[in-house]
Amino acid sequence: MQYSLGIDAGGTYTDAVIIRNSDKKVVASYKALTTYPELLTGIENAIDGLDPQYLKDIKLVSVSTTLATNTILERTGYPVGLILVGNYLVPQDTSVQEYVMVRGGHTATGAEAEALDIEAVTEFVNRVKDNVSAFAVSSYFSVRNPEHELQIKDYIIKATGMPVVCGHELSQDLGAYDRGITAYLNAQLIPIARQFIDAIVSDIERRGINAKLMMLKCDGSLINIKEAIQKPIESIFTGPAASLVGASFLSERDTCAVIDVGGTSTDVSLLYKGLPELCEDGAKVGGWNTKVKAIRMETSAMGGDSHVWVKNRNINIGPRRVIPLCVAAVQYPGFKETLKMGRTPARVELGENVQPTKFFVLTGKEPVKISSYEEEILRTIGKEPVSISDIYWRFGRPVSVEHLDYLIQKRLVQAIGFTPTDALHILDEYNEWDKEASVIGATIMSRLVQMSEQELAEHIKREVAYNMALNLMSYMLKGVEGKEIEKILRGEFFSKFRLSVPVVLLGGPVKAYVEQMQSIIDAEIILPPFAEVGNAVGALVGQGVKRIQVLIKAVYREKQRFFLVFTPGGFEEFSTHGEALKYAEHVGENLVMDYMREADMDWNDVRIDMSREDITLHEGSPVPVETKLVFMGVGTLKVGKNS
């Protein structure tokens, strides 16, 4: 019997599942807390929690992770030198530190616009090579002709041996600067991805598992580990992608909306006839516009571990994630006594970081580029949770809450606080951790809002349910103001929103919200088996998907018409549109099949669909001036003889 192992390293939990290859049934699962600042310990703990009898027969390991997304959001990627070739418009507020603009680039027809200034490239590389870990290159209209990008890449590799990422390797969309940023971010992530993947490979080998290793992309498809190392940018947003694919598999629906309630956020996405809806302009993360094709999703910073805090007697949920009180009581045995003895600040002092139920503890991450004042604050925080009052007392003078907040953002300090997870413990709807700690916290908070502990917990649960419904309807009603949607959701009307697609819920405690969701919206709400580890299932059951775009463009030279065919590898010239079309179809299908073979998909089971869009000068014109062909290949992974 052969099995597959799926792993999802999320913001709060790292989940692991084992699926039997013969009938695709989940036979084992386990949830472990995600570990920071490195994820490997959490992954090891998740695998250790599985039944070891299956591990020797694992033939496939597939992973999804938030590592790339978090690195971009926290701006902790490795330093990169960016080379922009051609006439660029670079935003004045760009945060790229090491970049240069050099002469060169091509036109829309693939012709050289200006000769490449290789001397300027050489000067820049020699100047920054000791301060960067990789280079990124983007040339004007490289999607029509990548010659200058490839020339620079060849020079840098020969001169330095350092990694180089080209814009045309990641995207065939127009937008030279955004392609450059996509290449820049990808280059930042390569060392981090290599470390992460090397660590997983070593752990798999240590356990004696001889298996194929894959990773999920942000469009819900699988890639082999070699490509994942070269293109880690494509693993941004793999958490939502994994939830979408996993929800479809577990609910046995190829069309469904998915609400994934994680520790940090709530994500909504849609699968239609087995394929996810993608965002047309590329994924946006941390203020960067990338050209990476990712699933379209609606996200809010409200999850099971969002901080619940009080200001002016108002209850706020999020946006920051904290360790729930019930979890902290298990991790730190003396914490409940510390919680009981905490001082309640004056009402005027209350804020997100000044709460009677909020505490702070070191993460163990080594500090980089912080001030001496911030180093002094760190020394007052130890390996056991301390309150803001403890920090003030140890510091000996008032402490800047802003500087403390900065240390939290840099992941040097982890916050502990009351959360929706604690509220569910009080209501006995989720009992994974220490309920007593949750009750102690609720007792303290209830005094600030003049509610009972039960009323407080019910209020928080109800707000989380409304947030789930708001996210869902905002996704479905694209372009409608969120305030208008919320007005209908919360209003007492004789009607409510009705959905024509089923809604699948994923996440640890989502079963607690099924009844409330059904009361807010009219839809088929599905809680599938293993909903709590749906992302890890999704990491395993994705398909191989490859999209290739080929463009045919009419050009005129000396009163003669020619047709240029632009592919990811360059362009070819033909005298007739028919010849160009035949070549384009041949190249597009071959590129898809080559990818499927390299990704080790079952090429006998690959389905290729082609869409065609023609642009003509006038209605009835027999020959298009431009034809765009998009090839979509979908394949299944080959896993063992009996899969």
Side-chain angles (χ1 to χ4, degrees):
M1 195 70 70
Q2 296 180 350
Y3 302 91
S4 297
L5 170 63
I7 302 166
D8 175 66
T12 301
Y13 287 103
T14 294
D15 302 336
V17 299
I18 293 177
I19 291 179
R20 188 166 50 220
N21 292 348
S22 59
D23 57 5
K24 301 299 182 184
K25 297 295 183 183
V26 178
V27 296
S29 65
Y30 193 77
K31 297 179 74 71
L33 288 171
T34 295
T35 51
Y36 289 103
E38 53 79 32
L39 304 177
L40 181 61
T41 301
I43 290 173
E44 291 175 339
N45 293 340
I47 298 175
D48 287 341
L50 297 170
D51 190 333
Q53 67 169 314
Y54 299 114
L55 296 182
K56 67 180 185 304
D57 295 317
I58 296 291
K59 298 303 176 185
L60 168 68
V61 178
S62 187
V63 182
S64 66
T65 177
T66 59
L67 183 63
T69 309
N70 291 344
T71 299
I72 295 172
L73 290 172
E74 297 167 29
R75 298 186 183 270
T76 55
Y78 280 66
V80 168
L82 174 60
I83 300 171
L84 301 172
V85 185
N87 186 21
Y88 275 76
L89 289 176
V90 178
Q92 293 183 349
D93 60 349
T94 181
S95 59
V96 179
Q97 294 182 334
E98 298 287 2
Y99 76 93
V100 68
M101 297 174 62
V102 303
R103 292 192 304 274
H106 291 78
T107 68
T109 63
E112 188 176 69
E114 193 175 7
L116 175 64
D117 187 352
I118 195 67
E119 291 183 0
V121 172
T122 302
E123 188 278 329
F124 175 75
V125 171
N126 288 334
R127 178 168 60 84
V128 305
K129 65 182 180 181
D130 294 332
N131 300 322
V132 300
S133 59
F135 286 89
V137 187
S138 181
S139 178
Y140 209 65
F141 274 113
S142 64
V143 296
R144 300 289 186 260
N145 190 337
E147 179 185 5
H148 287 176
E149 287 187 1
L150 294 173
Q151 189 176 337
I152 294 172
K153 179 176 183 176
D154 183 62
Y155 162 73
I156 294 175
I157 291 175
K158 288 179 179 177
T160 69
M162 298 172 72
V164 183
V165 179
C166 296
H168 81 275
E169 296 171 333
L170 298 169
S171 172
Q172 286 296 299
D173 291 341
L174 296 176
Y177 179 72
D178 286 342
R179 277 200 315 277
I181 289 302
T182 305
Y184 172 81
L185 294 174
N186 196 78
Q188 280 192 328
L189 295 168
I190 285 176
I192 297 169
R194 184 169 285 123
Q195 293 168 13
F196 174 68
I197 290 170
D198 286 348
I200 291 179
V201 170
S202 64
D203 183 65
I204 295 300
E205 291 177 347
R206 177 181 63 82
R207 298 174 187 272
I209 297 174
N210 181 21
K212 182 182 301 181
L213 190 55
M214 306 289 288
M215 183 170 278
L216 195 73
K217 291 168 57 178
C218 53
D219 62 359
S221 64
L222 290 171
I223 55 173
N224 62 45
I225 212 65
K226 292 180 181 178
E227 187 174 356
I229 292 175
Q230 296 302 318
K231 299 180 180 180
I233 187 71
E234 294 187 339
S235 67
I236 59 174
F237 299 151
T238 55
S243 69
L244 191 58
V245 177
S248 173
F249 178 84
L250 293 172
S251 66
E252 299 181 348
R253 304 295 181 95
D254 67 353
T255 296
C256 59
V258 179
I259 303 178
D260 179 15
V261 182
T264 308
S265 64
T266 295
D267 303 320
V268 175
S269 50
L270 178 72
L271 196 79
Y272 181 70
K273 293 185 177 179
L275 292 174
E277 182 181 2
L278 301 181
C279 50
E280 296 177 0
D281 300 326
K284 297 181 180 180
V285 55
W288 299 104
N289 294 323
T290 78
K291 289 294 183 179
V292 177
K293 298 297 183 185
I295 65 170
R296 184 172 82 85
M297 64 179 180
E298 186 80 21
T299 300
S300 68
M302 187 184 295
D305 295 348
S306 294
H307 183 214
V308 179
W309 51 287
V310 176
K311 179 73 173 178
N312 298 328
R313 294 188 177 177
N314 292 320
I315 299 171
N316 304 278
I317 306 177
R320 293 285 182 80
R321 172 191 170 273
V322 296
I323 300 175
L325 301 179
C326 55
V327 176
V330 175
Q331 292 181 323
Y332 308 101
F335 175 66
K336 280 192 289 189
E337 291 304 313
T338 303
L339 178 61
K340 290 177 183 177
M341 298 173 63
R343 185 183 74 85
T344 300
R347 291 189 187 277
V348 293
E349 296 178 312
L350 290 174
E352 187 176 1
N353 281 318
V354 182
Q355 295 285 309
T357 53
K358 192 162 190 180
F359 296 80
F360 308 90
V361 66
L362 293 180
T363 63
K365 183 179 180 180
E366 288 296 320
V368 178
K369 292 183 180 180
I370 63 171
S371 67
S372 58
Y373 180 78
E374 289 156 353
E375 286 180 352
E376 199 174 348
I377 295 176
L378 278 182
R379 285 195 290 271
T380 68
I381 303 172
K383 296 181 179 179
E384 294 295 323
V386 294
S387 66
I388 193 75
S389 300
D390 294 330
I391 296 173
Y392 286 174
W393 181 80
R394 294 180 185 182
F395 204 69
R397 63 184 189 277
V399 175
S400 165
V401 176
E402 288 76 18
H403 283 273
L404 176 61
D405 194 61
Y406 175 76
L407 295 174
I408 295 172
Q409 290 183 46
K410 295 294 289 183
R411 300 291 178 98
L412 298 172
V413 172
Q414 174 68 63
I416 299 167
F418 195 85
T419 67
T421 297
D422 290 298
L424 293 183
H425 275 73
I426 293 167
L427 298 172
D428 285 323
E429 295 184 10
Y430 189 60
N431 299 296
E432 194 72 22
W433 305 97
D434 191 321
K435 176 182 175 179
E436 185 182 358
S438 299
V439 173
I440 295 170
T443 301
I444 296 170
M445 290 193 68
S446 63
R447 299 169 188 154
L448 302 176
V449 293
Q450 296 182 333
M451 292 181 177
S452 68
E453 292 91 336
Q454 187 79 9
E455 289 171 336
L456 175 69
E458 289 174 349
H459 172 84
I460 293 168
K461 177 188 171 184
R462 186 164 55 250
E463 289 304 305
V464 172
Y466 272 118
N467 182 71
M468 292 166 62
L470 177 60
N471 270 25
L472 175 64
M473 297 317 304
S474 294
Y475 184 98
M476 294 295 181
L477 303 174
K478 186 164 56 173
V480 180
E481 286 289 332
K483 290 182 179 179
E484 297 303 313
I485 296 173
E486 187 170 13
K487 187 188 301 182
I488 296 173
L489 288 173
R490 293 183 180 272
E492 295 183 1
F493 304 111
F494 290 108
S495 64
K496 57 184 177 180
F497 288 116
R498 182 179 184 276
L499 268 68
S500 58
V501 297
V503 179
V504 182
L505 303 185
L506 288 188
V510 288
K511 64 180 179 182
Y513 297 102
V514 172
E515 189 174 330
Q516 276 194 324
M517 284 295 293
Q518 288 175 328
S519 69
I520 298 172
I521 58 173
D522 182 6
E524 179 189 4
I525 307 293
I526 299 174
L527 181 68
F530 300 101
E532 68 280 3
V533 290
N535 285 29
V537 173
L540 267 182
V541 299
Q543 297 174 303
V545 178
K546 185 63 175 178
R547 296 172 179 84
I548 295 290
Q549 179 176 306
V550 179
L551 182 70
I552 303 172
K553 197 173 184 69
V555 296
Y556 292 85
R557 193 184 311 124
E558 298 176 354
K559 297 183 179 181
Q560 282 190 299
R561 184 172 61 183
F562 300 90
F563 294 90
L564 300 180
V565 179
F566 298 101
T567 69
F571 69 96
E572 295 288 339
E573 183 177 297
F574 297 88
S575 58
T576 69
H577 184 269
E579 291 175 331
L581 184 61
K582 185 176 180 180
Y583 173 78
E585 291 175 346
H586 175 74
V587 169
E589 291 183 358
N590 280 353
L591 287 173
V592 170
M593 292 305 299
D594 288 345
Y595 173 86
M596 292 297 175
R597 290 188 182 96
E598 289 176 10
D600 210 16
M601 299 293 158
D602 185 351
W603 58 273
N604 289 312
D605 193 37
V606 173
R607 185 185 82 247
I608 301 177
D609 296 322
M610 184 192 79
S611 63
R612 172 177 169 176
E613 180 182 347
D614 290 328
I615 298 177
T616 57
L617 288 176
H618 54 81
E619 189 176 349
S621 178
V623 180
V625 295
E626 184 174 296
T627 298
K628 183 170 71 173
L629 304 177
V630 177
F631 299 84
M632 168 81 78
V634 180
T636 55
L637 191 64
K638 291 191 292 187
V639 186
K641 296 178 181 179
N642 299 324
S643 60

